[in-house]
Amino acid sequence: MRSLSKKILLLLIALMPVAALAHIGHDDVEHLGFLAGFLHPFTGLDHLAAMLAVGIWSAMTTKRIWVAPVSFASLLLVGACLGIVGVTLPLVEPMIATSLLVIGLLLAVQVKLPAIAGAALVGAFAIFHGLAHGTELASASNIVAALIGMVLGTALIHLTGLGLGRVLMKFHVTWARVIGGAVSVLGLGFLTGLV
């Protein structure tokens, strides 16, 4: 058990340098396509935390573990397409922060929702994440490749979360609660401007 705790802690520490990258700027994506899209979900702590938490929460609270992640990835793509064509919605960043707060709480408290309700909730938040991604990826030289990369990067983060959730469910539910609490605090930090 102790060995697993150390491995989880090391995984979280290993992810910290990714958080320092922040978002890829417009200048960085102008000549990139697939790679820019693939890396984009990893380069913002807000997006990374939300997608990882969706995977962990889904793995720990539902039998159809794939429904919420597929909903998130699908509606993320819809939001990104809207962002690329210039659609804007008010409060995108506050909604992204709220997604961290809500998804983190769902994980921390181990809330079990019907698969469709969970998918609808995370999917609604995914549209806002997608709008942010789409706006930033709009200058990519190959937008289609960037979008494919973004969805695959997102799927990889969700798969990592699903795997981590399954491990935590068997051995360390307390760690899942801690991770959920940390994601919620991060969301609150973004909402209040402290992060």
Side-chain angles (χ1 to χ4, degrees), residues 28 32 43 52 65 81-82 90 100 111 125 138 156 161 167 191:
D28 298 330
L32 298 175
T43 60
L52 202 58
I65 65 173
C81 289
L82 292 173
L100 293 171
V111 174
F125 287 132
L156 181 59
V167 169
L191 276 172

Side-chain angles (χ1 to χ4, degrees), residues 70-80 119-120 122-128 130-131:
V70 167
S71 173
F72 192 101
S74 300
L75 289 169
L76 177 84
L77 178 60
V78 169
V122 300
F125 287 132
I127 291 172
F128 291 93
L131 279 166

Side-chain angles (χ1 to χ4, degrees), residues 26-169:
H26 290 287
D27 294 339
D28 298 330
V29 298
E30 284 178 358
H31 302 294
L32 298 175
F34 178 83
L35 185 59
F38 182 80
L39 293 175
H40 213 265
F42 294 92
T43 60
L45 183 56
D46 49 355
H47 300 298
L48 179 63
M51 293 172 194
L52 202 58
V54 165
I56 297 170
W57 173 67
S58 186
M60 296 186 76
T61 62
T62 184
K63 290 180 182 176
R64 296 188 302 176
I65 65 173
W66 56 271
V67 175
V70 167
S71 173
F72 192 101
S74 300
L75 289 169
L76 177 84
L77 178 60
V78 169
C81 289
L82 292 173
I84 286 170
V85 299
V87 172
T88 59
L89 290 176
L91 305 173
V92 170
E93 291 301 324
M95 285 303 293
I96 290 171
T98 300
S99 75
L100 293 171
L101 180 63
V102 171
I103 295 167
L105 285 173
L106 291 173
L107 177 57
V109 182
Q110 295 291 293
V111 174
K112 294 183 181 192
L113 295 175
I116 298 302
L121 178 65
V122 300
F125 287 132
I127 291 172
F128 291 93
H129 283 268
L131 279 166
H133 285 309
T135 301
E136 293 177 6
L137 291 174
S139 62
S141 60
N142 187 338
I143 291 175
V144 172
L147 289 173
I148 291 168
M150 180 195 67
V151 171
L152 290 176
T154 297
L156 181 59
I157 296 168
H158 284 320
L159 285 171
T160 301
L162 288 170
L164 188 55
R166 285 300 188 183
V167 169
L168 292 172
M169 187 170 63

Side-chain angles (χ1 to χ4, degrees), residues 168-185:
L168 292 172
M169 187 170 63
K170 290 183 181 180
F171 301 107
H172 286 289
V173 174
T174 302
W175 270 101
R177 294 181 188 279
V178 169
I179 292 168
V183 170
S184 288
V185 168

